[in-house]
Structure formats: structure tokens, C-alpha cells
Amino acid sequence: HVQLVESGGGSVQTGGSRTLSCLASGDSDTINCVAWFRQAPGKERETVARMTIGVGGGTKHYSDSVLGRFTISLDDPKNTVSLQMDNLKPEDTAMYYCAKGVGRRCVGLRAPSDFPYWGQGTQVTVS
């Protein structure tokens, strides 16, 4: 049973940085896709970063809105996927969610429906 637990949210000033963490457990796939999504009030949930993990993994994908500012990374021994967010803007304010796919690379996976496993979310507020 896959479980994802996010942490690291909070309030930050414009231009500041924040690191989100996603602790994963229960995953037995040799390859998988882990993603960070966000959802602002009144808006659809959108993907901001994805990373293929496991055998032959490492490929990363970013949305245009965060490219060059956000970095997704894996701390394998700790089963933790992080999202380093720099140069934050008010429009980055949202609930951020960690999500995991099932046994395949991230290529072609973008919609929330592509990811069956989700964390509870962590709020990031930029002002």
C-alpha cells in the first residue's frame, strides 16, 4: 500500500525559497513516476514537476511556469522526493501535492488521473 506524506509548506515572501518533501512508502515498482502538483483556489490541479525514479530513472520534467526556479530531486536512501522552490512569486501560492504513478516512466503522464497515489497536500503561501 503506497503512502505519500508531504511536508515543508508555509508562508514565504516574494523572491524567497522553500523546500517541500514527500516521504514515500510501500512502493515495490522498479521504475515509477513521482510528480508534484499544485492547486490554487478556483483553479484546476496542475503538474509543476515530474521525475522518473528507479531503474534507469533520473529524467525530470517541469512546467513552463516553474522552469528554472523549481528543482525536483530524489533522496533515495530516505525514500524522499523534494521540490526546491526558488524565486517564489505570489502566483505560486497553492496547495502542493505529491503524487505517484504505477510502474512506468513519466513520459506521457501529466494529468492528475494518471497518478493513483496522492499525499494530503501542503500549503505554500507567497506574499
Side-chain angles (χ1 to χ4, degrees):
H1 178 60
V2 175
Q3 287 189 310
L4 305 172
V5 179
E6 302 99 333
S7 61
S11 298
V12 61
Q13 292 187 335
T14 299
S17 298
R18 199 82 183 181
T19 301
L20 306 181
S21 296
C22 174
L23 176 62
S25 61
D27 183 14
S28 61
D29 292 325
T30 56
I31 192 164
N32 216 325
C33 179
V34 179
W36 283 97
F37 283 79
R38 68 184 181 188
Q39 187 167 20
K43 294 189 176 181
E44 293 185 353
R45 191 169 296 191
E46 62 171 353
T47 179
V48 295
R50 294 167 289 148
M51 180 177 180
T52 297
I53 61 173
V55 177
T59 305
K60 303 177 183 181
H61 310 264
Y62 298 95
S63 67
D64 290 342
S65 61
V66 306
L67 185 62
R69 300 188 298 121
F70 289 13
T71 303
I72 188 171
S73 61
L74 171 66
D75 185 343
D76 211 352
K78 296 183 179 180
N79 292 328
T80 298
V81 175
S82 297
L83 185 68
Q84 173 67 37
M85 306 183 294
D86 298 318
N87 191 21
L88 283 162
K89 305 175 181 180
E91 51 263 43
D92 294 317
T93 295
M95 184 72 80
Y96 283 73
Y97 298 90
C98 176
K100 209 164 196 182
V102 181
R104 56 170 292 186
R105 296 177 180 276
C106 289
V107 174
L109 302 183
R110 185 184 293 271
S113 59
D114 294 328
F115 296 86
Y117 301 108
W118 292 83
Q120 81 287 353
T122 186
Q123 176 69 36
V124 174
T125 302
V126 185
S127 59

